[in-house]
């Protein structure tokens, strides 16, 4: 059941713990999302961004060779979506979506 709720976007901001090494949501963060417009996992993250009030800089790796090169140089991967939180990369659309929801909720409180 937890997996189904997570997939649907249910996350408890009071008990949420980010993946290891990822900064805690809430407060001020520099957020940069590396994405493409045709990746279904990126679209999932973009839908969350449409629903929450979070300022995120966008870098589209499909049309920006510098963004693509930077992503590969820093992470060793070309995988998107990848959101940098204060310079720390986080992959996986579900993890990014959960972090964004909790971040928005904690900043709204």
């Amino acid at each position: 059941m937890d997996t189904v709720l997570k997939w649907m976007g249910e996350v408890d901001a009071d008990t949420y713990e980010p993946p290891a090494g990822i900064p805690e949501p809430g407060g001020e963060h520099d957020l940069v999302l590396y994405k493409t417009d045709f990746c279904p996992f990126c679209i999932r993250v973009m839908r969350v961004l449409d629903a929450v009030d979070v300022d995120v800089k966008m870098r589209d790796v499909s049309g920006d060779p510098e963004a693509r090169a930077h992503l590969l140089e820093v992470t060793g991967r070309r995988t998107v979506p990848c959101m940098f939180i204060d310079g720390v990369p986080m992959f996986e659309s579900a993890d990014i979506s959960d972090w964004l929801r909790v971040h928005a909720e904690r900043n709204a409180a």
Side-chain angles (χ1 to χ4, degrees), residues 34-90:
Y34 285 71
K35 65 163 188 83
T36 67
D37 289 337
F38 52 83
C39 163
F41 300 104
C42 296
I43 292 168
R44 176 183 185 180
V45 171
M46 297 303 293
R47 286 184 179 153
V48 171
L49 282 171
D50 287 343
V52 299
D53 184 25
V54 176
D55 184 29
V56 177
K57 297 173 202 117
M58 302 290 174
R59 304 283 312 263
D60 191 330
V61 299
S62 64
D64 184 347
E66 289 180 17
R68 189 170 42 250
H70 181 262
L71 181 62
L72 180 59
E73 178 183 327
V74 173
T75 68
R77 297 169 62 177
R78 294 185 176 128
T79 307
V80 291
C82 177
M83 186 169 74
F84 284 83
I85 306 166
D86 300 331
V88 178
M90 178 168 53

